[in-house]
């Protein structure tokens, strides 16, 4: 069997069901756990619950539903999130306070608990470890996603596998829309939390599809410990690589997207400054529409960088464009040197890369996004109707 993500981890079983717009996934795995959550002031009920429960540093299982976000639902919504953990706990024979919960879908609607209870009872007996189980699990949590998102990173001494969903309302300020990460590494909850936070900062937090931070963003990581103790630095690098893969997949699958947009900012005074500039460029509607129209408008790139709040000399800036195979200069130390024909040719494919050197330091960072098309408006113009 060829595993693509979470079921490659010993001790993980999973399954999911999708009925129209409404899906439910269960994942069972016991171990130390950590999470990162949305920083949107309006937090969904599952986020409020998990911010409390994750403090124990351990999870036995995860239940996630799609179709209803259970966000902006007040006291009833919180109680419904607790009820979801009780359903999963009862069905799987684990303590409900050690069950992770997540939701995604329409904001401002109440959960259909009778449906969730029915789906939970249907899914629980089917949990298994197989490629099919991975696929069914990730499909169960998809909403406007056009494809499932899996990631698998193998080290000599441990493995990390993860799934995610995310396509629209993507400008995370913590993690991604929904992401469930598993590893057989043995690592303490405190160290796991630090590694996950750093990984999210460098990957999920650098994805922008439309500039909207969701109410439901959550990334949970569980370490089963089956592989024994690991080198913490090696683990941190592998976890970041796993999260980066998911981040790029989310960006490429942005609602209505036809092109993946990658922006690397170099020559910044600090990594945080480079990341800030890269995110501002990535989220610019003018840049995104230019990419869609295959218009190598270098002026829009530089202009967006200039409003990021990072000091640099515009006359020292250099800029390149690439399709991933060939790279062409557009600006060199403030002088326009673009070959328009080659620059346009670099935008014909499904991936467009800009490399921007600020000439103001030695740090760099990369962010990912996508173009902005008419399809995005079609998808979101009638999202609830």
């Amino acid at each position: 069997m060829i595993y693509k993500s979470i079921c490659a981890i010993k001790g993980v079983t999973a399954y999911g069901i999708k009925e129209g717009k409404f899906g439910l996934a269960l994942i069972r795995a016991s171990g130390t756990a950590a999470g990162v959550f949305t920083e949107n002031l309006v937090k969904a009920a599952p986020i409020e619950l998990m911010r409390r429960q994750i403090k124990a540093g351990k999870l036995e299982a995860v239940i996630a539903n799609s179709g209803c976000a259970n966000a902006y639902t007040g006291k009833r919504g919180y109680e419904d999130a607790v009820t979801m953990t009780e359903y999963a706990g009862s069905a799987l024979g684990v303590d409900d306070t050690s069950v992770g919960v997540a939701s995604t879908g329409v904001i401002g609607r109440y959960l259909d608990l009778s449906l969730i209870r029915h789906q939970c009872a249907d899914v629980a007996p089917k949990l298994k470890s197989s490629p099919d189980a991975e696929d069914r699990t990730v499909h169960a949590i998809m909403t406007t996603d056009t494809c499932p998102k899996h990631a698998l990173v193998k080290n000599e001494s441990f493995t990390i596998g993860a799934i995610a969903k995310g396509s629209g309302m993507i400008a995370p300020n913590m993690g991604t829309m929904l992401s469930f990460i598993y590893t057989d590494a043995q690592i303490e909850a405190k160290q796991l939390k630090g590694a996950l936070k750093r990984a999210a900062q460098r990957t999920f937090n650098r994805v922008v599809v439309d500039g909207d931070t969701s109410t439901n963003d959550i990334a949970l990581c569980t370490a089963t410990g089956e592989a024994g103790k690991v080198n913490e630095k090696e683990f941190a690098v592998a976890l970041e690589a796993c999260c980066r893969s998911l981040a790029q997949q989310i960006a490429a699958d942005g609602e209505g997207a036809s092109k993946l947009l990658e922006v690397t900012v170099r020559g910044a005074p600090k990594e945080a400054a480079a990341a800030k500039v890269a995110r501002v460029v990535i989220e610019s509607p003018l840049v995104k529409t230019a990419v869609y129209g295959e218009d190598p408008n270098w002026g829009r790139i530089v202009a967006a960088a200039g409003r990021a709040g990072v000091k640099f000399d515009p006359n020292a800036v250099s800029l390149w464009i690439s399709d991933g195979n060939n790279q062409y200069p557009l600006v060199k130390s403030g002088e326009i040197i673009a070959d328009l024909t080659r620059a346009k040719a670099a935008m014909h494919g499904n991936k467009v890369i800009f490399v921007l050197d600020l000439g103001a330091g030695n740090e760099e960072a990369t962010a990912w996004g996508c173009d902005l098309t008419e399809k995005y408006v079609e998808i979101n113009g009638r999202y609830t109707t």
Side-chain angles (χ1 to χ4, degrees):
M1 292 187 292
I2 300 177
Y3 294 104
K4 292 178 286 187
S5 58
I6 58 176
C7 286
I9 310 304
K10 189 176 180 180
V12 175
T13 56
Y15 207 74
I17 187 173
K18 190 78 170 183
E19 298 175 309
K21 292 183 178 181
F22 301 98
L24 185 122
L26 288 175
I27 309 171
R28 184 170 182 176
S30 177
T32 57
V36 286
F37 311 96
T38 184
E39 293 184 9
N40 192 323
L41 180 65
V42 181
K43 295 176 176 63
I47 300 299
E48 298 287 9
L49 176 59
M50 284 312 302
R51 283 164 63 92
R52 294 174 173 84
Q53 293 199 166
I54 202 65
K55 290 179 181 179
K58 185 175 182 178
L59 286 177
E60 298 281 348
V62 166
I63 181 171
N65 75 284
S66 61
C68 177
N70 191 14
Y72 200 57
T73 48
K75 182 180 179 181
R76 173 177 165 180
Y78 187 88
E79 292 173 349
D80 287 350
V82 172
T83 299
M84 282 184 64
T85 66
E86 292 172 347
Y87 288 165
S90 176
L92 299 176
V94 300
D95 184 350
D96 55 83
T97 63
S98 66
V99 174
V101 60
S103 299
T104 182
V106 179
I107 296 170
R109 304 284 177 85
Y110 295 113
L111 293 174
D112 183 343
L113 287 180
S114 61
L115 173 62
I116 289 176
R117 186 174 188 174
H118 168 76
Q119 290 180 326
C120 185
D122 186 14
V123 171
K126 299 176 182 177
L127 264 65
K128 58 183 178 178
S129 177
S130 71
D132 176 63
E134 294 174 330
D135 280 329
R136 288 181 180 274
T137 303
V138 72
H139 275 95
I141 61 173
M142 289 166 55
T143 51
T144 57
D145 306 61
T146 65
C147 59
K149 298 163 182 71
H150 297 270
L152 185 63
V153 175
K154 294 184 177 181
N155 185 279
E156 289 184 2
S157 58
F158 63 88
T159 302
I160 304 175
I163 59 173
K165 66 83 54 182
S167 184
M169 207 174 187
I170 302 281
N173 195 13
M174 49 52 67
T176 185
M177 295 297 92
L178 300 186
S179 181
F180 306 113
I181 309 163
Y182 292 87
T183 178
D184 54 11
Q186 181 180 331
I187 184 169
E188 296 299 318
K190 183 178 179 181
Q191 285 69 41
L192 183 62
K193 180 180 179 181
L196 180 61
K197 186 176 180 179
R198 287 190 297 273
Q201 198 65 35
R202 288 181 166 179
T203 59
F204 298 141
N205 282 8
R206 295 182 186 174
V207 177
V208 179
V209 168
D210 49 19
D212 273 301
T213 298
S214 172
T215 55
N216 290 63
D217 293 346
I218 186 172
L220 296 175
C221 184
T222 302
T224 66
E226 296 280 353
K229 292 184 178 180
V230 300
N231 181 286
E232 288 184 20
K233 289 185 178 180
E234 289 183 2
F235 177 78
V237 170
L239 181 60
E240 185 175 323
C242 186
C243 294
R244 185 183 305 112
S245 173
L246 293 176
Q248 291 172 337
Q249 291 177 61
I250 289 169
D253 193 33
E255 289 178 341
S258 66
K259 300 177 188 294
L260 171 66
L261 174 58
E262 178 178 297
V263 174
T264 294
V265 175
R266 298 174 179 168
K270 295 181 179 180
E271 181 182 341
K276 188 174 184 180
V277 173
R279 276 196 55 150
V280 170
V281 173
I282 282 285
E283 68 186 10
S284 166
L286 291 177
V287 171
K288 292 161 75 69
T289 51
V291 170
Y292 173 50
E294 300 183 356
D295 177 15
N297 194 328
W298 50 84
R300 290 184 176 181
I301 305 294
V302 177
R307 63 178 173 82
V310 174
K311 290 186 178 181
F312 62 89
D313 180 0
N315 293 319
V317 164
S318 295
L319 178 65
W320 296 264
I321 190 172
S322 171
D323 58 6
N325 296 311
N326 301 297
Q327 181 171 285
Y328 306 107
L330 300 175
V331 178
K332 182 178 180 180
S333 300
E335 180 183 355
I336 299 170
I337 58 171
D339 181 323
L340 192 58
T341 300
R342 287 186 173 183
K344 285 184 69 68
M347 305 182 82
H348 288 340
N350 57 13
K351 184 176 184 179
V352 177
I353 302 170
F354 287 104
V355 179
L356 177 66
D357 192 325
L358 302 180
N362 299 308
E363 299 298 321
E364 69 175 72
T366 300
W368 301 272
C370 59
D371 56 351
L372 182 60
T373 73
E374 299 94 331
K375 188 66 176 177
Y376 178 86
V377 178
E378 292 177 17
I379 293 171
N380 285 284
R382 299 178 179 83
Y383 188 72
T384 64
T385 56

